Amino acid sequence: MSRSDIWAEYDRWNAVIANVVFPELDYSAPVYLDLEDEMLEEIAAAMGIEAVDVEASLASAVAATLDQSTPRMIFKQHTSRLWQWSKGDSTAPPPILALLAVFSLAAEHMTKGEGISGANYFGRLHELLGIPQNDVWINGAYRKVAERYWGTLNGWLTDLGGRRGVPTAYAVTHRYVGLPISQALVRRGDRERLVSFFQRFGFAPGSEVPPSELETVLGIWMKQSPCPATKNLERLWVNGSARSRIAQAAAVALSAWDGRVAGDREDGGARDHGRIALSLEMGGFPKKRFKISVLVYATQPERAREAVILSRDNEARVDLAPAIPGALSLGQSAEIDSANLLEGTLRLRDTLTGVEIARHPKRMLVFRQDQLSMRWIETEVVLLGDDVTLVAHDELEQRLSVVLEAIARPGWELIKDGFPGLPDGWFVVRGVEIFGHPGDLIPAGMNDLGALIPLTSSQLKIAGGFALPGASRGKWHSWAAPEIRAISDAPGGFTVRLIDLNSHAKDEGAFENEAAECLLEEWHDNGSGVCVANLAESELEDGDYRVELVPAGEKDALTTTQVHLRSGDTPDAMQWQVCEVVQQHLSDPLSVLGAGSSSSGAVVQGAVVTDPCQSELFEAQVPSSPWWDSSRPAGYVPVAAGARVTLPDPASCVYTGRHVEVIGTVMVDHKTGKPLQSSTIGQCSGCGLVRRYSTSYYRNKRKKEKKAEAQPVLRRDVSEMPRVRVGEGRAWDLVIDGVMHTGGGRWSMLERLAMHIEPTGLFVDQFARAMESLGLLEIRRDSLTLQPIEWEVAPTAFAGTRNGFYLAGHWPKRLTDLMTKDLTEAGVDFLRREQSDGPSSRSFCGDVATVTAVALAVDEGVAVVDRSWRDLAASLPLLSDVVAALPRRGAAVAGKIRWFDLRHARWIDSADLHAPGAYRIS
């Protein structure tokens, strides 16, 4: 075959793999370059060959593209083609997918034996590519390109915003070989079972845990009888050489897990039960408040349905609506009092699956902020370095304070009052970051503070800062970069390295040179076992970086992670491309509310008005207060009860702290007298706290002996650590630049951005209204419910006002600086007014001719709209037309009616729907 025919055949394979392995998805989910049986059949059908021949034919097609005449540059042609691709359409599949598929196959073949060690990755790669085993030069050539190639795959998936899946190719350990191992060693069925493992040990979705830490916990899970893992995974685990690689694959799967519950098992086993977690809101807008709500993790979380709340007294049907990735929330008609949720047992039956799940009360709850939704969600245990908020019973205050002084970073804040809604007898601790083990401060057994015993002893955590929305984790705003939090017991200490991954993109020569990666900074733990570094102090530019934790005296990193820094100057190109244009067609009166459907007539986008009508302007007196403010519905009741759950007996451990443990019965073999299961559990009958017991006499004996010989836990000194920064200013301008970066999309993306200022639903609504009023974005709402659906940044415009030209729409920092420079040189003044609690106001004071001339010269698509408020006022429909067009429903309803009291910002019981205002009906 000619070289052109060889590459044409390779490109066929590359295109087929892109379509089969990375198809467009309805919702974002982790994706692996793992050629399992059903994928092999699809690829075979597309290539016109038998499924059994796919691996060999693919390897042959890839081998033919390699330049074996210059061993050290064997992948040079692939690197050159990748460089050309990087300069073109970044949404097209990268030209290295077929090559990466062979790298992945080599990792999969590591478990086959057949004369090659199960730990020998390169032996399998040689075998696939037909390269003699003694030609070790390919090993170095692979190491030179591995991170570049796999990083390109991750970057492509990230830039697509999850449309083709969430990237998973990360080498937590084994820097180069770990990349293909993360894809192929553990199969899809194995990963589904790992969800049960994550739930069993209380890992929070998206946790980043070093594989060395997971390996120990996996060993406990694997020893259960019967083994909960697949036969394949159990077989690999028995082979001790594969354990570290399984732990690495599990670490990647955990970081990509969104909390979704596994469905029916392929082997016919029962599906995993769901779980209930609480969600915490502590807001300050419009006034301080405390609220606990419910999240339900169940199968098919994208499907709305009903559930039944089961209690001693009655059953109540409630709505379940998709809330965050992997979970549903109780409908608005099922609000439950916070004290009731903290102290009661909540039992639900999912009407879709028939599964019953329950949540028992606890005397201390741990809430961890989920980076994909920005909500504070209940978790079972803490991980070192995580940001957590604690809600605890008053009786625990003294004990908890002593423990936190010993193991938490200084700066945490204890709150007992000032937040309406915080139940009597409970308090909150904010700004908690655990950096050590409490040792004997929290004795083993059923202890209310047991959740503060870290599940790991080492961690490399990237946290804090301003996390930007998207399908993938690991993206932050460069103006508010995160912290590095590293904890390790490595003998001799450790070093944290920051690697710049951006220099290779400058030219093709640098792109081909792996040495172009640049070490920017190093931090040392100085023997303390802890290192905290604020990346904001490094003043990093937008780009991609790698963070490594390297034990003293070692060359290879113990664990690594990546940080992607972005801003409005480096927009999310794919998100901008896929979000729909939001225009308000004013021929439909509901368009002023974002819910219009007409496609003709005047159009409004931000401050830009096209085709204004010539109606006269009407002056009207604005009333001093809303006309409905004095209205009250019939049957006014100041406090609404909502749904209720079963409360425990006053003598329960929830109130007394005295736990009553019930130990499960263990069946034994009637012939040998040996137990038929490796462990059993003891569970408190009141609060559900669980303690696990081994049923093996010899294992318990060894455990007792080891405990007697064990040295006391060495607690780290956390008193000299940098203080936690709690309750810092509300960074409106930072969040608005994050809006400029994102561009638009689903409503949940704007929610996540706004929650960086104030993590409550009420503030999200206020933020959106402010942004819309200022002409910075447009919102599309449902025509029947008026609920927001999508949003989009408005076009770049100078909006004329009495005091100059206001900057409306898309104004990233680069464009603002450029325009400021040119207009200042033209004699136009730039005015920036800071707001105490709102975005800065930016405007230019000058004549329209000068501003227009500079805008045209800059050629950035800036529209100059002089006195746009007059055009907008002339274009708007009459308020009476808007009221007449509002959707209407019959008022003859049966059920519980609640009315929103604007004056006190709360829902109250009502007897009917006669008063103006907002209602909830259940």
Side-chain angles (χ1 to χ4, degrees):
M1 294 176 66
S2 66
R3 294 300 295 174
S4 60
D5 291 337
I6 288 173
W7 282 107
E9 178 68 6
Y10 173 88
D11 287 337
R12 275 189 68 213
W13 280 99
N14 201 79
V16 168
I17 289 171
N19 292 331
V20 172
V21 182
F22 305 103
E24 293 203 5
L25 305 174
D26 294 330
Y27 60 89
S28 299
V31 62
Y32 294 81
L33 184 44
D34 182 11
L35 303 185
E36 300 199 29
D37 293 343
E38 64 271 19
M39 287 186 179
L40 292 177
E41 292 176 0
E42 288 187 55
I43 293 172
M47 296 298 298
I49 60 177
E50 296 294 325
V52 293
D53 298 327
V54 169
E55 292 187 7
S57 299
L58 170 61
S60 176
V62 170
T65 65
L66 305 181
D67 185 2
Q68 299 191 36
S69 62
T70 54
R72 295 183 181 277
M73 304 294 289
I74 191 171
F75 300 112
K76 181 177 181 179
Q77 192 64 32
H78 282 280
T79 301
S80 179
R81 297 175 92 236
L82 186 60
W83 164 258
Q84 296 301 325
W85 170 85
S86 70
K87 299 291 115 180
D89 181 10
S90 61
T91 65
I96 51 168
L97 297 182
L99 177 60
L100 294 180
V102 172
F103 291 164
S104 181
L105 283 173
E108 183 185 331
H109 290 187
M110 291 172 69
T111 62
K112 288 189 174 181
E114 300 173 1
I116 300 178
S117 166
N120 188 349
Y121 172 78
F122 290 109
R124 294 302 180 187
L125 185 59
H126 288 200
E127 187 178 65
L128 277 170
L129 296 176
I131 297 173
Q133 293 291 335
N134 58 351
D135 288 346
V136 296
W137 40 265
I138 192 176
N139 303 4
Y142 167 81
R143 292 188 182 97
K144 184 177 180 181
V145 301
E147 291 178 323
R148 179 70 39 75
Y149 289 1
W150 288 106
T152 297
L153 171 61
N154 291 340
W156 175 60
L157 293 173
T158 299
D159 290 342
L160 287 173
R163 287 172 59 197
R164 288 181 180 251
V166 177
T168 58
Y170 298 106
V172 189
T173 59
H174 305 291
R175 179 174 175 181
Y176 304 107
V177 175
L179 290 162
I181 286 176
S182 71
Q183 300 296 286
L185 183 68
V186 175
R187 314 308 299 272
R188 185 176 65 182
D190 303 330
R191 291 190 291 269
E192 289 177 352
R193 296 289 186 89
L194 285 173
V195 170
S196 299
F197 163 65
F198 302 150
Q199 292 182 225
R200 156 72 177 80
F201 287 92
F203 287 104
S207 298
E208 296 179 354
V209 180
S212 57
E213 299 288 331
L214 276 183
E215 188 172 343
T216 302
V217 191
L218 273 168
I220 299 172
W221 184 63
M222 288 284 188
K223 289 177 182 177
Q224 295 182 54
S225 181
C227 181
T230 62
K231 295 296 182 185
N232 173 61
L233 197 60
E234 184 181 12
R235 176 179 56 81
L236 291 175
W237 188 262
V238 172
N239 176 8
S241 62
R243 292 182 181 179
S244 63
R245 298 194 297 277
I246 293 173
Q248 177 180 321
V252 172
L254 175 57
S255 67
W257 180 47
D258 62 3
R260 191 177 301 268
V261 175
D264 294 325
R265 284 168 29 184
E266 294 180 356
D267 60 0
R271 66 165 61 91
D272 288 337
H273 289 292
R275 70 187 190 281
I276 298 172
L278 300 185
S279 177
L280 170 67
E281 279 192 12
M282 285 188 68
F285 175 86
K287 58 184 179 181
K288 290 184 177 181
R289 67 191 186 112
F290 175 97
K291 181 182 178 183
I292 296 287
S293 53
V294 177
L295 291 174
V296 179
Y297 290 86
T299 56
Q300 304 182 55
E302 63 281 355
R303 289 185 59 181
R305 66 270 207 161
E306 285 189 332
V308 179
I309 294 181
L310 308 173
S311 67
R312 283 194 295 257
D313 302 327
N314 55 22
E315 296 184 357
R317 299 184 75 87
V318 296
D319 294 328
L320 287 180
I324 62 174
L328 305 104
S329 64
L330 295 188
Q332 292 180 337
S333 62
E335 276 194 3
I336 304 175
D337 180 70
S338 294
N340 204 220
L341 284 173
L342 289 176
E343 300 174 0
T345 298
L346 176 60
R347 297 184 184 276
L348 283 176
R349 182 171 64 245
D350 183 355
T351 58
L352 179 66
T353 62
V355 170
E356 291 188 9
I357 49 180
R359 181 197 173 274
H360 297 282
K362 304 172 185 175
R363 285 160 59 86
M364 187 192 74
L365 296 81
V366 180
F367 292 91
R368 175 182 183 267
Q369 192 169 38
D370 175 58
Q371 289 298 313
L372 286 184
S373 66
M374 293 307 296
R375 296 196 187 194
W376 289 92
I377 300 173
E378 183 184 10
T379 185
E380 296 296 320
V381 293
V382 299
L383 295 178
L384 293 172
D386 269 353
D387 296 292
V388 296
T389 297
L390 309 179
V391 177
H393 196 276
D394 280 349
E395 289 189 2
L396 300 177
E397 181 181 350
Q398 185 175 357
R399 288 174 53 201
L400 181 57
S401 297
V402 171
V403 171
L404 293 181
E405 289 285 354
I407 67 173
R409 182 176 171 182
W412 48 271
E413 176 186 13
L414 193 148
I415 300 169
K416 300 194 69 173
D417 51 35
F419 278 85
L422 178 61
D424 293 337
W426 294 80
F427 66 93
V428 177
V429 188
R430 294 195 301 184
V432 177
E433 296 174 17
I434 304 299
F435 276 84
H437 194 288
D440 56 6
L441 289 177
I442 302 180
M446 287 195 172
N447 196 300
D448 295 306
L449 304 184
L452 295 181
I453 301 175
L455 199 56
T456 56
S457 60
S458 64
Q459 191 80 16
L460 178 60
K461 176 77 176 175
I462 309 297
F466 178 14
L468 290 166
S472 303
R473 292 175 169 87
K475 184 167 68 170
W476 280 268
H477 201 294
S478 56
W479 299 3
E483 284 184 333
I484 300 172
R485 301 172 188 168
I487 308 102
S488 177
D489 292 329
F494 62 86
T495 297
V496 175
R497 297 174 180 168
L498 178 64
I499 310 293
D500 183 3
L501 303 179
N502 306 299
S503 55
H504 69 266
K506 294 179 179 178
D507 55 60
E508 188 170 2
F511 188 86
E512 294 179 359
N513 181 14
E514 188 71 19
E517 290 186 354
C518 174
L519 175 63
L520 292 181
E521 290 197 54
E522 286 187 338
W523 299 273
H524 305 280
D525 73 319
N526 298 322
S528 66
V530 174
C531 179
V532 175
N534 188 357
L535 290 179
E537 297 175 356
S538 299
E539 298 182 351
L540 301 174
E541 298 178 350
D542 292 8
D544 302 319
Y545 303 86
R546 186 173 68 246
V547 179
E548 303 176 342
L549 190 156
V550 185
E554 300 287 338
K555 294 177 60 177
D556 294 332
L558 177 66
T559 183
T560 68
T561 189
Q562 289 197 359
V563 179
H564 309 285
L565 298 182
R566 301 290 188 269
S567 70
D569 292 335
T570 50
D572 187 334
M574 178 50 59
Q575 187 61 32
W576 273 79
Q577 179 178 329
V578 300
C579 71
E580 296 186 20
V581 175
V582 179
Q583 293 180 333
Q584 317 300 359
H585 300 277
L586 298 187
S587 57
D588 184 341
L590 288 186
S591 279
V592 299
L593 305 178
S597 58
S598 176
S599 59
S600 61
V603 176
V604 179
Q605 279 190 286
V608 182
V609 185
T610 62
D611 188 25
C613 63
Q614 300 302 317
S615 61
E616 297 180 1
L617 297 179
F618 296 92
E619 292 187 5
Q621 295 296 321
V622 179
S624 58
S625 62
W627 55 272
W628 62 81
D629 185 56
S630 59
S631 303
R632 289 289 183 271
Y636 179 91
V637 180
V639 179
R644 293 190 65 80
V645 300
T646 303
L647 290 176
D649 185 273
S652 166
C653 61
V654 176
Y655 305 114
T656 66
R658 295 188 293 273
H659 300 284
V660 179
E661 185 176 9
V662 179
I663 299 177
T665 302
V666 178
M667 303 301 292
V668 297
D669 188 315
H670 68 280
K671 293 182 179 179
T672 64
K674 293 183 178 180
L676 295 176
Q677 59 194 69
S678 61
S679 64
T680 187
I681 62 170
Q683 186 171 24
C684 177
S685 59
C687 68
L689 275 177
V690 172
R691 184 180 185 184
R692 187 165 296 273
Y693 296 93
S694 170
T695 58
S696 169
Y697 167 79
Y698 296 103
R699 190 182 303 157
N700 288 330
K701 181 181 179 182
R702 288 194 299 270
K703 183 178 179 180
K704 184 177 180 180
E705 293 171 348
K706 287 180 66 176
K707 184 177 180 180
E709 298 171 358
Q711 297 294 322
V713 174
L714 180 62
R715 291 204 294 268
R716 300 186 178 97
D717 183 6
V718 297
S719 60
E720 300 301 321
M721 292 184 65
R723 293 181 63 83
V724 175
R725 294 169 291 180
V726 179
E728 292 187 334
R730 296 150 70 97
W732 278 80
D733 291 347
L734 171 64
V735 173
I736 288 176
D737 194 76
V739 170
M740 302 299 166
H741 164 81
T742 308
R746 300 182 306 276
W747 185 250
S748 60
M749 302 187 81
L750 189 67
E751 283 183 318
R752 181 178 164 188
L753 287 160
M755 283 186 173
H756 278 282
I757 301 177
E758 174 80 45
T760 66
L762 192 59
F763 177 78
V764 171
D765 179 74
Q766 168 69 10
F767 176 83
R769 290 172 187 270
M771 295 285 285
E772 195 175 27
S773 300
L774 294 171
L776 297 178
L777 55 80
E778 293 286 2
I779 298 172
R780 177 181 290 113
R781 291 178 168 84
D782 185 272
S783 59
L784 291 178
T785 66
L786 301 185
Q787 290 291 322
I789 303 171
E790 295 176 305
W791 63 281
E792 183 198 23
V793 171
T796 306
F798 284 122
T801 68
R802 290 181 178 179
N803 300 318
F805 290 87
Y806 171 75
L807 274 63
H810 178 242
W811 282 97
K813 184 177 183 299
R814 179 197 62 81
L815 180 57
T816 304
D817 291 346
L818 175 63
M819 209 43 108
T820 301
K821 175 179 177 294
D822 289 358
L823 283 171
T824 301
E825 292 175 354
V828 176
D829 294 331
F830 175 64
L831 296 179
R832 181 187 183 97
R833 297 181 180 89
E834 301 290 340
Q835 306 290 334
S836 59
D837 189 12
S840 298
S841 172
R842 301 172 299 173
S843 59
F844 289 95
C845 296
D847 62 88
V848 63
T850 303
V851 173
T852 302
V854 173
L856 290 173
V858 170
D859 193 23
E860 291 276 353
V862 182
V864 181
V865 187
D866 188 23
R867 302 180 73 78
S868 62
W869 59 274
R870 290 187 176 275
D871 293 335
L872 182 59
S875 302
L876 292 174
L878 297 176
L879 187 58
S880 58
D881 294 338
V882 177
V883 173
L886 288 172
R888 283 163 168 75
R889 296 180 181 179
V893 296
K896 184 178 182 63
I897 301 174
R898 304 173 73 193
W899 178 79
F900 189 72
D901 181 357
L902 281 170
R903 180 169 295 177
H904 300 98
R906 61 184 177 182
W907 293 95
I908 63 173
D909 287 348
S910 173
D912 54 42
L913 300 175
H914 292 159
Y919 288 87
R920 286 179 178 173
I921 304 168
S922 60

